[in-house]
Amino acid sequence: MKFYEMKKLLLMSALLLSAVSLNAQTSPAYEEAPNPVATNPALWSKVKNAQVSWGSTDIRYKKEEPAPIQGIQKSISLTAWKGEKVSAQLVVWTPEVLEDLTVIVSDLTSGNSQISKDRIRTGFVRYVMTDELNKDGQGACGYRNSADFDSTLVADPIDHLTPAITLPAQTSQGSWLSIRIPQEASAGRYTGTITVKANGQVLSELKLNVQVKNRTLPAPTEWAFHLDLWQNPYAVARYHQVEPFSQAHFDLMRPLMKLYADAGGKVITTSIMHKPWNGQTYDPFESMVTWLKKADGSWYFDYTVFDKWVEFMMSVGVKKEIACYSMVPWRLSFQYLDQASNSFKFLEAKPGEAAYEEFWMTMLKSFAAHLKEKGWFDITHIAMDERPMKDMLETLKVIRKADKDFKVSLAGTYHEELVGELDDYCITIAEKFPAETIRARREAGKVTTYYTCCTEPRPNTFTFSEPAEAEWLGWHSAKENLDGYLRWALNSWVKNPLQDSRFTAWAAGDTYLIYPDARTSIRMERLTEGAQAFEKVRILRQEFEQKGNRSALKSIDKVLQLFDEMKLGEIPAAEAVNKAKKVINQF
Amino acid sequence: MKFYEMKKLLLMSALLLSAVSLNAQTSPAYEEAPNPVATNPALWSKVKNAQVSWGSTDIRYKKEEPAPIQGIQKSISLTAWKGEKVSAQLVVWTPEVLEDLTVIVSDLTSGNSQISKDRIRTGFVRYVMTDELNKDGQGACGYRNSADFDSTLVADPIDHLTPAITLPAQTSQGSWLSIRIPQEASAGRYTGTITVKANGQVLSELKLNVQVKNRTLPAPTEWAFHLDLWQNPYAVARYHQVEPFSQAHFDLMRPLMKLYADAGGKVITTSIMHKPWNGQTYDPFESMVTWLKKADGSWYFDYTVFDKWVEFMMSVGVKKEIACYSMVPWRLSFQYLDQASNSFKFLEAKPGEAAYEEFWMTMLKSFAAHLKEKGWFDITHIAMDERPMKDMLETLKVIRKADKDFKVSLAGTYHEELVGELDDYCITIAEKFPAETIRARREAGKVTTYYTCCTEPRPNTFTFSEPAEAEWLGWHSAKENLDGYLRWALNSWVKNPLQDSRFTAWAAGDTYLIYPDARTSIRMERLTEGAQAFEKVRILRQEFEQKGNRSALKSIDKVLQLFDEMKLGEIPAAEAVNKAKKVINQF
């Protein structure tokens, strides 16, 4: 018994062609793309043997160059709250082949207290192909041909699945450590040892110190930070060649989506119609709702996929909001199964047209009833991307007519006339809500956030972006008194995301932050740290406001001023973040 | 608001290209294809002016030649039962252009009795492109390129929609008269006048005499003759560019399917899955059942199209049997909508495999419940074409397991082991059921019939077949003591059925017997007369058996012996039919 896609032959050919690389893709161990940059032996002439040092989480170490570290650093000190996840990077560089490089962590101890080594995850920082900003340096939007851009390997995926790695001669290799301080840990100065082995012997032992403060960060589900990274289940099904929404699919998605939940992900991305973004991603979003127009003119809707997906995401810990895309898709073309002809058809209709209203009214009424039955109506948002104002207003009319209590969200531009309509309103970093608007919305239980996309050269989360820019995003949200941050793509993978983060549009890495088999990335880890920073700031401010500690509040406000997107030229993200961390961690 | 097919651009291009011919197709008046045969002026040299004569319904008059009639026949005499439909053909041939040729009928009178002219329908016998048998003359099967065959215009469509026609110089034109004797008519000799006009004046007046016997043929719905001509609603939707199973579609199909009902059509052709014959016709059969596999593994079936189609056909008068194709399609590939991927997928599984059984058991149980609710279970047959015996037996197992009372039919080969299993069993003309088997089946309420297809050079119903062969089919059924006749294609139209009856497979006309806009054909009219003959023979036999009129029975049996397919070389169909009609009509 075999299942075939409609485009069976095409698919089979594609499978045959990519069989070798697919095997590589789905196995935990995988090959990186060849390095397009030749190694410069002169740079390695002074490196006599393998070196191991603590490095910086702000740096993507180059594969083909010795790490730019002057004095080997054997010890590192981090500061953390209970419940916080902190990170460090060690780096190994070697003139000769290093067989079976491994990184072994010990428990961390502080007197009689202990943080188990199970709370420390190590992962090799792997190399993936990237490109660069548009030639004018002003952004990264538009369709692009990779050949037109400088393409290099860049350190980004954090590969916790490969226990040992062999380094060719004249290679650098980072290893990322992630320490999740238990919420029930005792405060104190913890110490542990990181043993780096290769060729069957110990290369180096590094000291890891963590100052655990007597403050507690709540679990990510409790964070106020409203993080909305759009999830794409279809990319996972395609990449792993599993049936969408099968047990195998969910099994693959659980650890992957846990990365989002652990970053404080609050919103479940759902596609209630076919191709809400007109297939802009490598794997287009399919409709999670079955639209069947019966031959008698009536409609049959089925929400089995929607329900399974939402329930799954909730079980992973993402449960604050369900965002439903889209009544105003990028192409106003609405697919449905036409029973009479037993084929898919498309209604082409615009908001404001009778056909549009009829089509959506029927669905929204059915949908509202279903959501109420599931108890999800109050957290479900009919979600829009920026569209012409006329279309948005007409769409709102239909939503309100179907059910006046439907929540609505928009990721777009600031429009004063929409402020009262939108329960979740996200605008670009370059625009600003009036401060009073943000406060009023928060009091009314409405969410107000900002987003970045291909527009911003920085801060951004391309695979070549400075690592600290990902953390900067959360700090900026704190600075602007916003509720959180949105990015349109958590995992809209390209064809071979582990090997090559470039795509046919936008700069490399624009379409995903995490990698197959739930490998995280420098970007995702730093972005998560930004969410933690936001929470810490929020908690401290609340405390200091209650206590009337004006000087503390002032020092926080002052350091937050570093997170001004207009000043990124003068104050690089890493500088701002490191300064701000020092201030925050002093409390 | 516009509806688009998936292959929108492709379709739009096709529409643009065929816009002119489409207009021609859908208008009641239409252009015939150009005559590939040049007119021979020598044949016309002796024809001084337009001629009008009664001709024969056994002849397809050639367009480019004078009708081969020696003495003009001004009067014709037909014999009919009350309730019977009888036909005649008049022919006009002209050396000069004849403008606005019309045929006007009068009422028929017999003393004080009258048969209204409303009961007489006239139609010009139009010309359509045809080809010929395979080169060996042994049949017409196989794919073919029209260019390899002699292609000519042949008289076949009967065009009742064109009231007046202009004949070019040196042209012949038939006009078909169809007289439906009312069941309540008085017996007697009726007379009427047929006025043929052209160029604004009367060309000729012909006499029509009908001897109405004091016997009554029941209405077609009451006929025992089991006529099974497979209907293709999809061809009608495509040809007229209407949404399948829309009101417009049904409006177009009502008069068309009435031709089938009036011929005594007993079986409703339904397709319960996608492409039961793997798309062998120009318009493939779609699934009238919606097969939706939900993401939770359960199935949703919807019968709206099936119900609408069956109810429609019943309303037209076809209601004895519902034939459902096919659990053993020509390609063992079963389409369904896969909800999870929101796409069509195919199960490829064979009878005997677990996946096949699971797939069909689920559907058949749902289907049986639905049919019982509709009150149709007892007339519904799971219908098969001939397949390997192993497959048919495995299929039967699944059917019986789903519901032991499901009726089953087969159009195929004679297998003794299937006789008891099949409620409707149809075999090719070349095979014979044992006489006792036919009788036993009839007593058990089971139907036993025969079929012809591309295999037989004659008798057949290609557009070039002798007209009488179509009538011969019903007589043959009477001879063999069978219950009726099956042909696989009532209206599986080719691209432009009015202009060109050739197809990419089989001889021209194989795929349809009737024409767009409910135009009948010489073939369909003669086939209907064969059904009537079968009924008349049946009624007479019954009467003579009751009365013990052995000599009458003997004369009927004797004349039926003419309808032996092995003797068609010696006794052409027209000869057999005309002899037999004389015998039957003497009673």
Side-chain angles (χ1 to χ4, degrees):
Chain A
M1 170 186 158
K2 291 170 186 168
F3 287 87
Y4 287 92
E5 298 284 338
M6 286 290 284
K7 292 179 183 172
K8 179 188 157 192
L9 285 175
L10 201 66
L11 187 64
M12 284 180 66
S13 317
L15 283 175
L16 284 170
L17 287 170
S18 62
V20 177
S21 62
L22 259 181
N23 284 339
Q25 282 168 0
T26 51
S27 153
Y30 74 94
E31 293 290 318
E32 291 168 4
N35 194 341
V37 177
T39 303
N40 179 354
L43 292 175
W44 288 93
S45 61
K46 288 179 201 156
V47 185
K48 295 306 168 203
N49 37 41
Q51 306 291 312
V52 182
S53 174
W54 282 115
S56 165
T57 57
D58 291 331
I59 300 178
R60 300 181 189 276
Y61 293 98
K62 287 188 182 172
K63 188 175 190 176
E64 69 282 358
E65 293 185 10
I69 290 172
Q70 296 310 321
I72 296 293
Q73 192 187 340
K74 290 275 198 177
S75 178
I76 197 169
S77 290
L78 309 174
T79 303
W81 287 15
K82 301 175 199 170
E84 189 176 357
K85 179 168 78 168
V86 289
S87 58
Q89 185 176 199
L90 64 82
V91 60
V92 181
W93 61 106
T94 178
E96 306 296 339
V97 171
L98 271 191
E99 299 277 355
D100 289 333
L101 176 71
T102 55
V103 176
I104 300 144
V105 300
S106 73
D107 295 336
L108 304 182
T109 54
S110 172
N112 292 330
S113 298
Q114 188 170 302
I115 293 173
S116 164
K117 61 187 174 191
D118 297 343
R119 308 288 298 185
I120 308 174
R121 195 161 89 166
T122 67
F124 293 112
V125 184
R126 305 291 299 268
Y127 294 94
V128 67
M129 288 295 290
T130 192
D131 51 17
E132 51 179 351
L133 293 174
N134 287 345
K135 292 301 179 188
D136 60 7
Q138 297 305 301
C141 296
Y143 284 83
R144 51 169 58 195
N145 180 350
S146 298
D148 299 339
F149 292 82
D150 193 15
S151 293
T152 54
L153 282 185
V154 71
D156 190 58
I158 298 177
D159 180 15
H160 62 291
L161 298 174
T162 301
I165 200 164
T166 291
L167 304 189
Q170 303 187 335
T171 304
S172 288
Q173 175 65 57
S175 176
W176 195 274
L177 282 87
S178 186
I179 306 110
R180 291 178 299 117
I181 313 299
Q183 280 179 311
E184 63 282 8
S186 307
R189 190 171 181 276
Y190 289 79
T191 299
T193 303
I194 312 300
T195 308
V196 179
K197 286 187 174 177
N199 297 336
Q201 58 192 47
V202 173
L203 267 190
S204 181
E205 285 191 344
L206 301 181
K207 191 69 57 196
L208 173 62
N209 306 301
V210 183
Q211 181 69 45
V212 176
K213 310 220 36 151
N214 197 19
R215 290 191 173 278
T216 305
L217 188 70
T221 48
E222 306 305 311
W223 296 352
F225 190 63
H226 189 88
L227 180 64
D228 184 0
L229 307 175
W230 299 358
Q231 314 104 59
N232 185 344
Y234 300 97
V236 182
R238 181 270 308 174
Y239 182 83
H240 292 284
Q241 293 289 297
V242 292
E243 294 290 319
F245 310 106
S246 62
Q247 192 55 49
H249 188 207
F250 285 119
D251 288 347
L252 286 159
M253 287 197 294
R254 185 166 294 281
L256 191 78
M257 295 304 163
K258 186 83 171 23
L259 294 173
Y260 173 50
D262 286 350
K266 292 285 177 287
V267 185
I268 305 169
T269 310
T270 72
S271 41
I272 56 170
M273 44 76 73
H274 172 73
K275 291 192 176 176
W277 298 281
N278 197 25
Q280 68 168 340
T281 47
Y282 187 83
D283 298 289
F285 286 72
E286 260 309 336
S287 184
M288 295 176 179
V289 175
T290 300
W291 293 68
L292 171 63
K293 187 179 189 183
K294 300 225 264 185
D296 60 8
S298 70
W299 285 89
Y300 168 84
F301 297 101
D302 187 278
Y303 304 98
T304 305
V305 170
F306 177 87
D307 292 352
K308 284 185 81 144
W309 169 242
V310 168
E311 281 161 9
F312 164 76
M313 286 303 290
M314 287 180 165
S315 80
V316 174
V318 181
K319 49 195 171 189
K320 185 183 169 198
E321 183 176 323
I322 302 166
C324 304
Y325 296 90
S326 176
M327 285 181 65
V328 273
W330 288 20
R331 181 162 167 244
L332 290 166
S333 178
F334 302 94
Q335 188 207 57
Y336 59 91
L337 181 72
D338 179 63
Q339 184 180 58
S341 61
N342 192 36
S343 66
F344 284 110
K345 291 199 171 181
F346 293 87
L347 169 70
E348 313 237 331
K350 290 192 191 103
E353 290 180 1
Y356 177 92
E357 178 172 327
E358 188 192 331
F359 188 82
W360 277 107
M361 278 291 285
T362 313
M363 190 276 183
L364 288 177
K365 283 185 175 178
S366 155
F367 192 38
H370 177 75
L371 291 167
K372 285 172 184 175
E373 199 183 306
K374 299 293 285 186
W376 298 339
F377 185 77
D378 292 340
I379 61 165
T380 300
H381 290 222
I382 302 299
M384 297 189 280
D385 302 286
E386 180 72 16
R387 297 282 90 189
M389 180 54 75
K390 184 180 164 296
D391 288 356
M392 293 194 289
L393 290 174
E394 292 288 355
T395 304
L396 276 168
K397 264 195 222 167
V398 176
I399 297 169
R400 300 282 178 246
K401 201 166 164 184
D403 194 312
K404 66 179 176 37
D405 296 326
F406 251 129
K407 287 196 168 67
V408 181
S409 66
L410 170 67
T413 298
Y414 179 70
H415 305 282
E416 208 183 329
E417 59 268 59
L418 292 183
V419 164
E421 297 282 354
L422 301 169
D423 302 89
D424 182 343
Y425 197 171
C426 178
I427 62 174
T428 177
I429 188 170
E431 292 190 294
K432 305 292 165 194
F433 288 99
E436 183 45 46
T437 297
I438 298 172
R439 268 192 297 273
R441 287 179 57 81
R442 188 172 294 134
E443 273 169 32
K446 291 177 174 176
V447 169
T448 315
T449 66
Y450 81 105
Y451 74 91
T452 56
C453 60
C454 62
T455 309
E456 296 78 21
R458 72 190 63 79
N460 222 315
T461 51
F462 303 122
T463 37
F464 57 79
S465 294
E466 290 298 324
E469 287 173 24
E471 180 169 339
W472 188 101
L473 299 166
W475 290 98
H476 178 76
S477 193
K479 169 190 179 277
E480 297 289 347
N481 191 28
L482 290 164
D483 295 320
Y485 170 73
L486 174 151
R487 190 170 174 93
W488 75 277
L490 171 70
N491 71 315
S492 275
W493 289 332
V494 294
K495 189 178 178 194
N496 296 307
L498 283 167
Q499 281 82 8
D500 192 343
S501 66
R502 297 172 299 171
F503 190 47
T504 52
W506 323 299
D510 192 282
T511 69
Y512 63 106
L513 292 164
I514 54 178
Y515 290 84
D517 300 307
R519 291 175 178 91
T520 183
S521 69
I522 289 183
R523 298 173 291 154
M524 189 66 180
E525 291 307 296
R526 295 303 302 270
L527 189 143
T528 305
E529 291 177 43
Q532 295 184 138
F534 178 96
E535 284 304 300
K536 288 164 75 176
V537 167
R538 185 182 63 78
I539 289 163
L540 290 173
R541 271 175 161 167
Q542 201 168 30
E543 178 187 319
F544 298 151
E545 271 162 16
Q546 277 170 6
K547 291 183 179 164
N549 186 342
R550 292 201 169 203
S551 77
L553 283 170
K554 206 169 163 184
S555 69
I556 291 173
D557 285 346
K558 188 182 167 201
V559 79
L560 287 179
Q561 296 316 307
L562 296 173
F563 298 92
D564 180 342
E565 73 281 5
M566 304 300 283
K567 291 190 191 151
L568 268 166
E570 310 153 38
I571 313 163
E575 184 186 327
V577 165
N578 290 325
K579 278 187 181 166
K581 268 176 150 168
K582 277 214 182 79
V583 170
I584 296 303
N585 280 337
Q586 76 185 335
F587 298 113
Chain B
M1 168 183 163
K2 290 170 188 168
F3 288 88
Y4 287 92
E5 298 284 337
M6 288 288 285
K7 294 178 180 170
K8 177 187 157 193
L9 285 175
L10 201 66
L11 187 66
M12 284 181 63
S13 316
L15 283 175
L16 284 170
L17 287 170
S18 62
V20 177
S21 62
L22 260 181
N23 284 338
Q25 280 167 3
T26 50
S27 153
Y30 74 94
E31 293 291 319
E32 290 167 6
N35 195 341
V37 177
T39 303
N40 179 354
L43 292 175
W44 288 95
S45 60
K46 288 177 199 157
V47 184
K48 296 306 166 200
N49 39 43
Q51 305 291 312
V52 182
S53 175
W54 283 114
S56 165
T57 56
D58 292 330
I59 300 177
R60 300 182 188 277
Y61 293 100
K62 289 188 178 171
K63 189 174 190 176
E64 69 280 1
E65 293 184 10
I69 290 171
Q70 296 310 321
I72 296 295
Q73 193 187 339
K74 289 276 197 177
S75 177
I76 197 169
S77 290
L78 309 174
T79 302
W81 287 15
K82 300 174 198 171
E84 188 176 358
K85 180 169 78 166
V86 288
S87 59
Q89 185 177 198
L90 65 82
V91 60
V92 180
W93 62 104
T94 178
E96 306 295 341
V97 172
L98 272 192
E99 300 276 357
D100 289 333
L101 177 70
T102 55
V103 176
I104 299 142
V105 299
S106 73
D107 293 336
L108 304 182
T109 53
S110 171
N112 289 331
S113 299
Q114 189 172 300
I115 293 172
S116 163
K117 61 188 175 188
D118 297 344
R119 307 288 298 185
I120 308 173
R121 195 161 89 168
T122 67
F124 292 113
V125 184
R126 304 294 297 268
Y127 294 94
V128 68
M129 287 296 289
T130 193
D131 50 17
E132 51 179 349
L133 293 175
N134 287 346
K135 292 301 180 188
D136 61 8
Q138 297 303 302
C141 296
Y143 284 83
R144 50 169 59 194
N145 181 348
S146 297
D148 300 338
F149 293 83
D150 193 15
S151 292
T152 54
L153 281 184
V154 70
D156 190 58
I158 298 177
D159 179 14
H160 63 290
L161 297 173
T162 302
I165 201 165
T166 290
L167 303 190
Q170 303 186 334
T171 303
S172 288
Q173 176 65 58
S175 175
W176 194 275
L177 282 88
S178 187
I179 306 110
R180 291 179 299 118
I181 312 299
Q183 281 180 309
E184 63 282 8
S186 307
R189 187 171 184 278
Y190 288 80
T191 300
T193 303
I194 311 302
T195 306
V196 179
K197 285 185 175 177
N199 296 337
Q201 59 193 48
V202 172
L203 268 190
S204 182
E205 286 191 343
L206 300 180
K207 190 70 60 193
L208 171 64
N209 306 300
V210 184
Q211 181 69 43
V212 176
K213 310 222 34 153
N214 197 20
R215 289 190 172 278
T216 305
L217 188 70
T221 47
E222 306 305 312
W223 297 352
F225 191 65
H226 189 87
L227 181 65
D228 185 358
L229 307 175
W230 298 358
Q231 313 103 60
N232 185 342
Y234 300 97
V236 181
R238 181 270 309 174
Y239 182 84
H240 291 284
Q241 295 288 298
V242 292
E243 294 290 321
F245 310 105
S246 62
Q247 191 55 48
H249 188 207
F250 285 118
D251 288 347
L252 286 159
M253 286 198 292
R254 186 166 292 281
L256 191 77
M257 295 304 164
K258 187 80 167 29
L259 295 173
Y260 173 51
D262 286 350
K266 293 284 176 287
V267 185
I268 305 169
T269 309
T270 71
S271 40
I272 56 171
M273 44 77 73
H274 173 72
K275 290 194 179 175
W277 298 281
N278 196 25
Q280 67 168 343
T281 48
Y282 187 84
D283 298 289
F285 286 72
E286 261 308 338
S287 184
M288 295 174 180
V289 175
T290 300
W291 293 68
L292 171 62
K293 186 179 188 180
K294 300 224 267 187
D296 60 8
S298 69
W299 285 89
Y300 168 83
F301 297 101
D302 188 278
Y303 304 98
T304 305
V305 171
F306 178 87
D307 292 352
K308 285 185 79 142
W309 168 243
V310 168
E311 281 162 7
F312 164 74
M313 286 303 289
M314 287 180 164
S315 79
V316 173
V318 181
K319 50 193 170 189
K320 186 184 168 199
E321 183 176 324
I322 303 166
C324 303
Y325 296 91
S326 173
M327 287 179 66
V328 272
W330 289 19
R331 182 164 167 242
L332 289 167
S333 177
F334 301 95
Q335 188 206 57
Y336 58 92
L337 182 71
D338 180 63
Q339 185 180 57
S341 61
N342 192 34
S343 68
F344 285 110
K345 290 200 171 182
F346 293 87
L347 169 70
E348 313 237 330
K350 290 193 192 100
E353 291 180 2
Y356 177 91
E357 179 172 327
E358 189 192 329
F359 188 82
W360 277 106
M361 278 290 285
T362 314
M363 188 276 183
L364 288 177
K365 283 183 174 177
S366 155
F367 192 36
H370 177 75
L371 291 168
K372 285 171 184 174
E373 199 184 306
K374 299 294 284 189
W376 297 340
F377 184 77
D378 293 338
I379 60 165
T380 300
H381 290 221
I382 303 299
M384 298 189 278
D385 301 286
E386 180 72 17
R387 296 283 93 189
M389 178 56 74
K390 185 180 163 295
D391 287 357
M392 293 194 287
L393 290 175
E394 292 288 358
T395 305
L396 276 168
K397 266 195 221 164
V398 176
I399 297 170
R400 300 284 177 242
K401 201 167 164 183
D403 195 312
K404 65 179 175 43
D405 297 326
F406 251 129
K407 288 196 170 67
V408 182
S409 66
L410 170 67
T413 298
Y414 179 69
H415 305 282
E416 207 183 329
E417 61 267 59
L418 292 183
V419 164
E421 297 282 355
L422 301 169
D423 303 89
D424 183 342
Y425 197 172
C426 177
I427 63 173
T428 176
I429 189 170
E431 292 191 295
K432 305 293 164 190
F433 288 100
E436 182 45 43
T437 297
I438 299 174
R439 267 192 298 273
R441 288 177 57 79
R442 187 173 296 134
E443 273 169 30
K446 291 175 174 176
V447 170
T448 315
T449 65
Y450 81 104
Y451 74 92
T452 56
C453 62
C454 63
T455 309
E456 296 78 20
R458 72 191 63 79
N460 223 315
T461 51
F462 303 123
T463 36
F464 57 79
S465 295
E466 288 298 324
E469 288 174 24
E471 181 169 338
W472 189 99
L473 299 166
W475 291 97
H476 178 74
S477 193
K479 170 190 177 281
E480 298 288 346
N481 192 30
L482 290 164
D483 294 321
Y485 170 75
L486 175 153
R487 192 173 172 88
W488 75 276
L490 171 71
N491 71 315
S492 274
W493 289 332
V494 294
K495 188 177 178 194
N496 294 307
L498 283 166
Q499 281 82 9
D500 192 344
S501 65
R502 297 172 301 171
F503 189 47
T504 52
W506 323 300
D510 193 282
T511 69
Y512 62 106
L513 292 163
I514 55 178
Y515 290 83
D517 300 306
R519 290 174 180 94
T520 184
S521 69
I522 290 182
R523 297 173 293 153
M524 189 65 179
E525 290 307 296
R526 296 302 302 269
L527 189 144
T528 305
E529 291 177 40
Q532 295 184 138
F534 178 95
E535 284 303 301
K536 289 164 76 175
V537 167
R538 186 183 62 80
I539 289 163
L540 290 173
R541 270 174 161 169
Q542 200 169 29
E543 179 186 320
F544 298 150
E545 272 160 18
Q546 276 169 5
K547 289 182 180 167
N549 186 342
R550 295 200 165 202
S551 75
L553 284 170
K554 204 169 164 184
S555 68
I556 290 173
D557 284 347
K558 189 183 165 198
V559 80
L560 287 179
Q561 297 316 308
L562 295 172
F563 297 93
D564 179 342
E565 75 280 7
M566 304 300 284
K567 290 188 191 154
L568 268 166
E570 310 152 38
I571 312 164
E575 185 187 325
V577 165
N578 289 326
K579 276 186 181 166
K581 267 178 151 166
K582 275 214 181 78
V583 170
I584 297 302
N585 279 338
Q586 76 185 336
F587 298 113

